[in-house]
Amino acid sequence: MASHSDTLVVFFGATAGANGGKLGSDEREIILLVWQIVDLHEKKVGKLHRCLVKPDSLERTDECKEETGLTVEDILKAEPLDTVLQQFQQSVSSEVKSLGRSSFTLCVDSPLVIRQALHPETSTKNLVLPECFFSFVDLKKDFQKCCPDATAAQQLTPASMLEYVGLPAVSEQSMGETEVSSMVQLTLHLLAEPYNHKFSCVETVKYKFDSGTCSKTEPVDSETVIRARGLPWQSSDQDIARFFKGLSIAKGGVALCLNAQGRRNGEALVRFINSEHRDLALERHKHHMGSRYIEVYKATGEEFLKIAGGTSNEVAQFLSKENQTVQRVCSLSSTPDGRPTGDAFVLFSCEEYAQNALKKHKQILGKRYIELFRSTAAEVQQVLNRYMSAPLISTLPPSPIVPVPVMAQPYLPAASSSRDCVRLRGLPYTAGIEDILEFMGEHTVDIKPHGVHMVLNQQGRPSGDAFIQMRSPDKSFMVAQKCHKKTMKDRYVEVFQCSTEEMSIVLMGGTLNRSGLSPPPCKLPCLSPPHSLRLPHSPLHAL
């Protein structure tokens, strides 16, 4: 804590992109660090340090070139961020010791350099950030305590704060040096009469995200919630917390959203500890998680509770243990009336066991391949809420006019004209999922998650057909070329390239062969909405 620290390290950073109030919003790398020590007891200052940082990309915005005056040659001579951070730690520790002091706390003119630049960048690059960067003093907030009539903290700058207290502006120096020198002058001014200020309010950065449950009766402020879109489907709550590294997410504040079929839809609702952190999260709109950019929008507390809130004591007890790691196993579990849902959740006692379990992803259990991925408390709650409140499958009855085959899954993929599917026709009636995977051979790796769809007849028995969703039209074309009329259990199987749109028409009674698509022989009658229909049992089944 600063109240127990002997020194403050006044700290400044700049990136190759936007700086000032937009620092970190464009996800650009740090290229400059500047710092100076203030002895809180003797009211003296140390040497002003200015250190360039070599980024992975040498591209700089025009704003950066103008403000910093740095050339490509300047940056090329610099050390990478991890080396500079080590040099910073060693330099500060040595200087603090030489002053006869034992501790220090960082002092910044806004949290952006810590929360929006250093933590996200080091997290992305898998660098270890020194412990001193997990706590800091925000000079603007301390200034407002001493001068409550000053402008709102977000609008204050080192120069405007100097002007407010009647101190002369610092003579123009290079970028970073001017800001640090101004902050040092302000710090010394606040330490003296009439303020005699104590820098005791220290902000912290969480080391890790804390999982947990959320009750539907818990109040959730809408000013603390965002919606993230475009997430990789296998993302865990820890992956999302890492994307927002530097910001404090509330305990259990990551809720992965599921679609109507219980599958992740690439979205999550995230609840932060306050509106300030939520606003900083919105500045990460279109930042990257791996190769994908993530969209970040405002959401409401009501939306968060709808996804994450629960009333089940069973879930709370299941997730109440400390140091837990939850994994979701697709293709298991049951509803209240005993029917399988295709899901199970497993709670591991430590990270090592969880990592070993993930190695069994897509291995065969019985006659099915099982998908394993990290889960969250909110996902457990969503799945249980869904299966406790309503039957798993609500569907239309079979048509009395046209015998329609039934797809072996609880939902149809969204219809699309993209020919990224294949139809397998003429399968042995005893063929199972493992037989199809063996038949597909090397092409199995290109099957989409949950992309194997067996087709059953009206009696719930195998029809000899299956549809496979591939990762792209090119992949489905290759399968059709390589596997057409290949044998399975002494029968040759026909393989046609098709789209999900064509797949839907086939399931409505149309035909598909290598010559093209024929529509159903007649239209289905108009049926009542499915929400009023509840089937006690369904033959639908998917992987």
Side-chain angles (χ1 to χ4, degrees):
M1 298 292 290
S3 57
H4 301 110
S5 292
D6 300 306
T7 55
L8 288 180
V9 178
V10 179
F11 185 82
F12 175 88
T15 73
N19 290 293
K22 300 299 289 183
L23 179 68
S25 63
D26 55 1
E27 206 178 7
R28 302 301 289 267
E29 295 173 277
I30 293 168
I31 59 170
L32 173 66
L33 297 179
V34 184
W35 68 90
Q36 189 170 18
I37 290 179
V38 176
D39 186 326
L40 293 175
H41 296 288
E42 299 294 332
K43 312 297 190 295
K44 295 180 180 179
V45 300
K47 177 184 176 183
L48 182 64
H49 299 265
R50 185 173 189 266
C51 195
L52 301 185
V53 182
K54 182 180 178 181
D56 291 342
S57 171
L58 297 177
E59 183 182 353
R60 293 157 299 136
T61 63
D62 292 338
E63 176 188 349
C64 171
K65 294 175 185 177
E66 181 180 348
E67 291 182 347
T68 66
L70 296 174
T71 66
V72 172
E73 291 72 23
D74 294 329
I75 297 175
L76 282 172
K77 296 175 185 176
E79 298 287 349
L81 182 60
D82 56 342
T83 302
V84 172
L85 290 174
Q86 291 174 14
Q87 293 172 350
F88 166 82
Q89 179 77 5
Q90 293 168 1
S91 172
V92 171
S93 298
S94 176
E95 191 170 351
V96 168
K97 186 177 181 180
S98 69
L99 291 171
R101 306 305 177 194
S102 60
S103 60
F104 67 91
T105 301
L106 295 183
C107 176
V108 295
D109 73 330
S110 87
L112 299 181
V113 64
I114 305 291
R115 297 193 183 278
Q116 296 287 68
L118 274 169
H119 276 279
E121 184 174 339
T122 53
S123 176
T124 299
K125 295 181 176 180
N126 292 314
L127 304 180
V128 177
L129 197 56
E131 188 174 352
C132 63
F133 289 101
F134 285 82
S135 60
F136 61 91
V137 167
D138 186 341
L139 182 59
K140 288 181 181 178
K141 292 180 181 177
D142 277 272
F143 179 81
Q144 277 204 306
K145 289 182 180 179
C146 298
C147 306
D149 295 330
T151 309
Q154 296 86 344
Q155 301 172 16
L156 292 172
T157 65
S160 68
M161 289 187 284
L162 282 177
E163 182 180 1
Y164 186 88
V165 295
L167 292 177
V170 171
S171 59
E172 194 69 26
Q173 304 174 54
S174 62
M175 183 182 189
E177 293 181 345
T178 301
E179 286 80 2
V180 168
S181 296
S182 299
M183 291 163 65
V184 167
Q185 292 301 315
L186 279 167
T187 300
L188 293 172
H189 186 72
L190 297 182
L191 290 171
E193 294 286 351
Y195 304 109
N196 295 317
H197 183 65
K198 302 290 185 183
F199 289 88
S200 58
C201 186
V202 176
E203 294 192 30
T204 60
V205 180
K206 284 189 175 183
Y207 286 93
K208 65 183 185 68
F209 166 68
D210 296 321
S211 58
T213 57
C214 177
S215 169
K216 282 191 178 295
T217 61
E218 181 178 341
V220 176
D221 185 354
S222 291
E223 296 301 309
T224 65
V225 182
I226 61 92
R227 180 182 295 272
R229 292 179 178 171
L231 299 166
W233 71 272
Q234 70 273 34
S235 298
S236 68
D237 53 355
Q238 296 294 340
D239 295 323
I240 295 168
R242 187 177 183 183
F243 176 80
F244 290 108
K245 187 70 175 176
L247 308 180
S248 295
I249 297 173
K251 184 175 182 178
V254 176
L256 296 166
C257 302
L258 306 182
N259 60 21
Q261 290 75 42
R263 301 297 182 187
R264 295 178 181 180
N265 64 4
E267 296 188 7
L269 291 168
V270 185
R271 177 189 180 191
F272 294 89
I273 62 169
N274 57 38
S275 60
E276 179 184 352
H277 287 238
R278 190 284 306 266
D279 291 343
L280 293 179
L282 291 171
E283 293 294 326
R284 300 195 189 182
H285 179 57
K286 293 196 173 180
H287 283 203
H288 289 76
M289 181 183 287
S291 59
R292 304 184 63 164
Y293 71 81
I294 308 301
E295 297 175 322
V296 183
Y297 303 100
K298 290 182 180 180
T300 66
E302 182 181 0
E303 289 174 305
F304 182 83
L305 285 174
K306 184 178 180 181
I307 297 298
T311 57
S312 170
N313 290 329
E314 183 182 357
V315 173
Q317 292 170 6
F318 176 68
L319 297 169
S320 63
K321 300 178 177 64
E322 294 296 324
N323 301 318
Q324 63 189 4
T325 301
V326 185
Q327 286 185 14
R328 184 177 181 184
V329 185
C330 284
S331 299
L332 298 172
S333 88
S334 63
T335 58
D337 61 1
R339 291 185 289 113
T341 69
D343 286 287
F345 293 92
V346 182
L347 190 66
F348 291 92
S349 60
C350 70
E351 178 66 20
E352 181 182 359
Y353 293 159
Q355 289 289 353
N356 288 333
L358 287 172
K359 295 176 183 177
K360 295 182 179 292
H361 180 58
K362 289 201 172 180
Q363 288 189 13
I364 301 296
L365 176 62
K367 294 185 177 181
R368 309 187 65 180
Y369 75 84
I370 304 299
E371 294 177 311
L372 299 167
F373 45 90
R374 289 180 177 274
S375 189
T376 67
E379 188 169 34
V380 176
Q381 191 65 68
Q382 283 182 83
V383 172
L384 187 62
N385 284 350
R386 176 172 296 148
Y387 297 148
M388 293 295 287
S389 62
L392 175 62
I393 298 168
S394 172
T395 187
L396 294 172
S399 166
I401 299 177
V402 181
V404 180
V406 180
M407 179 168 253
Q409 61 159 37
Y411 65 98
L412 286 176
S416 167
S417 59
S418 176
R419 296 175 66 79
D420 57 356
C421 301
V422 290
R423 180 186 184 186
L424 275 57
R425 189 170 69 179
L427 295 169
Y429 294 123
T430 58
I433 296 296
E434 73 279 9
D435 299 309
I436 290 178
L437 297 179
E438 182 180 352
F439 176 81
M440 298 279 287
E442 61 181 339
H443 304 290
T444 301
V445 298
D446 297 318
I447 299 175
K448 283 185 177 180
H450 324 302
V452 180
H453 308 288
M454 302 293 291
V455 180
L456 310 181
N457 61 24
Q458 287 301 306
Q459 288 72 45
R461 300 190 183 94
S463 67
D465 281 19
F467 286 92
I468 316 292
Q469 289 177 275
M470 306 302 293
R471 294 191 180 277
S472 69
D474 289 342
K475 301 298 184 184
S476 62
F477 175 80
M478 288 300 298
V479 172
Q481 292 294 311
K482 299 289 186 181
C483 297
H484 183 56
K485 293 197 174 180
K486 184 178 169 183
T487 59
M488 179 191 296
K489 295 185 178 180
D490 299 326
R491 294 190 62 173
Y492 74 83
V493 177
E494 296 178 293
V495 183
F496 309 129
Q497 185 182 18
C498 67
S499 66
T500 51
E501 184 177 41
E502 293 169 328
M503 176 173 65
S504 299
I505 292 177
V506 169
L507 293 174
M508 296 297 288
T511 59
L512 174 69
N513 53 40
R514 298 185 81 82
S515 301
L517 183 72
S518 299
C522 64
K523 283 188 176 182
L524 289 175
C526 180
L527 299 174
S528 59
H531 61 77
S532 62
L533 300 168
R534 293 289 184 269
L535 301 185
H537 175 268
S538 171
L540 306 187
H541 178 63
L543 286 178

